[in-house]
Amino acid sequence: MDKLHYQDACDRATIAKRKLEILKALSDPSGSREAWGDFLLWSDAFYVGLEKMATGRLSRPWFGKIKHIRRKDPLLQYMDQARNAHQHGVGSTRAIKADSKLRMGAFDIAAVKLGSQEVSKIYLGDDLVYPAVIITLVAVRNYDQVYEVPEIHLDEPISPQYLVFAEAQMRHIETTLRAASVFVDNPKDGS
C-alpha cells in the first residue's frame, strides 16, 4: 500500500477520534444522537478506507483477517450495524414515544417536568439516572436482523455503555492502523 492511502486512513481515524472527543464532552443529551452517529460514520469510513488501500499480496489477506474480526466480534459487529441503522434509517433513528421514554437510535432519553423546570432524565436499563448524561445502548434492528447489545469484545467482558463501546472501537482502529503501517511502501506487498 502506498503512503497516500495510508495517510487517508490516518486522516479518517483522526476524524473518528475527534468525533469521540465531542461525544465524551457532551453535557446535554440533546446532542448525543448526532455525535453518536458522527462517530459511527467516521469509524466505518476508516474501515472502508483501509479496505481500499489493502490491495497488495500481503495487505489483502491481512485486511481479510481484520474484516473477519469485525464480523465476528460482538462489539465491532454491533457498532457496524448501529452505523448501518443510524445512517440508512433502517433502525429506530427518530424519536418515537414509547411509554414515558423517547427511543432515539441506540439509547433512551426521557424529558420530564420537575416543578416548573423540564429536566432530561436518562434511563440506564430500568434505572432512572439524572442529571448526569448516561446513554443506554439498546438492540439495533437492521432490516429483519436484531443485534443485541453485546457484553463481550475480543473475548473479554465489556460494560454495555456507549462511551465504553466507542472507546473500544477507537482502540481497535488505532491498533489496526499501527498494524497497517508495516505495509506502507513495502515492496513485498506489491501494491
Side-chain angles (χ1 to χ4, degrees), residues 9 45 50-51 69 73 97 121 129-130 132 137 140 144 163 168 181:
L50 194 65
E51 184 171 23
I69 290 169
D73 179 72
K97 189 132 173 89
K121 289 190 174 184
V129 183
Y130 63 95
L137 297 166
V140 172
D144 61 345
L163 281 179
S181 69

Side-chain angles (χ1 to χ4, degrees), residues 117-130:
Q117 186 176 5
E118 186 167 304
V119 177
S120 292
K121 289 190 174 184
I122 311 301
Y123 288 89
L124 181 57
D126 291 329
D127 298 327
L128 181 61
V129 183
Y130 63 95

Side-chain angles (χ1 to χ4, degrees), residues 102-167:
L102 291 176
R103 177 145 299 194
M104 298 180 69
F107 45 87
D108 294 339
I109 298 176
V112 297
K113 289 201 177 231
L114 286 177
S116 62
Q117 186 176 5
E118 186 167 304
V119 177
S120 292
K121 289 190 174 184
I122 311 301
Y123 288 89
L124 181 57
D126 291 329
D127 298 327
L128 181 61
V129 183
Y130 63 95
V133 176
I134 297 175
I135 298 171
T136 303
L137 297 166
V138 296
V140 172
R141 181 176 299 279
N142 196 351
Y143 295 101
D144 61 345
Q145 187 75 30
V146 176
Y147 298 87
E148 297 295 333
V149 178
E151 296 176 0
I152 301 286
H153 172 53
L154 301 176
D155 298 324
E156 296 291 327
I158 190 161
S159 178
Q161 299 172 22
Y162 84 108
L163 281 179
V164 173
F165 277 34
E167 289 169 341

Side-chain angles (χ1 to χ4, degrees), residues 171-190:
R171 280 191 305 276
H172 188 262
I173 287 171
E174 291 168 341
T175 301
T176 302
L177 193 57
R178 282 191 300 276
S181 69
V182 302
F183 300 110
V184 177
D185 290 337
N186 183 339
K188 292 181 180 177
D189 192 34

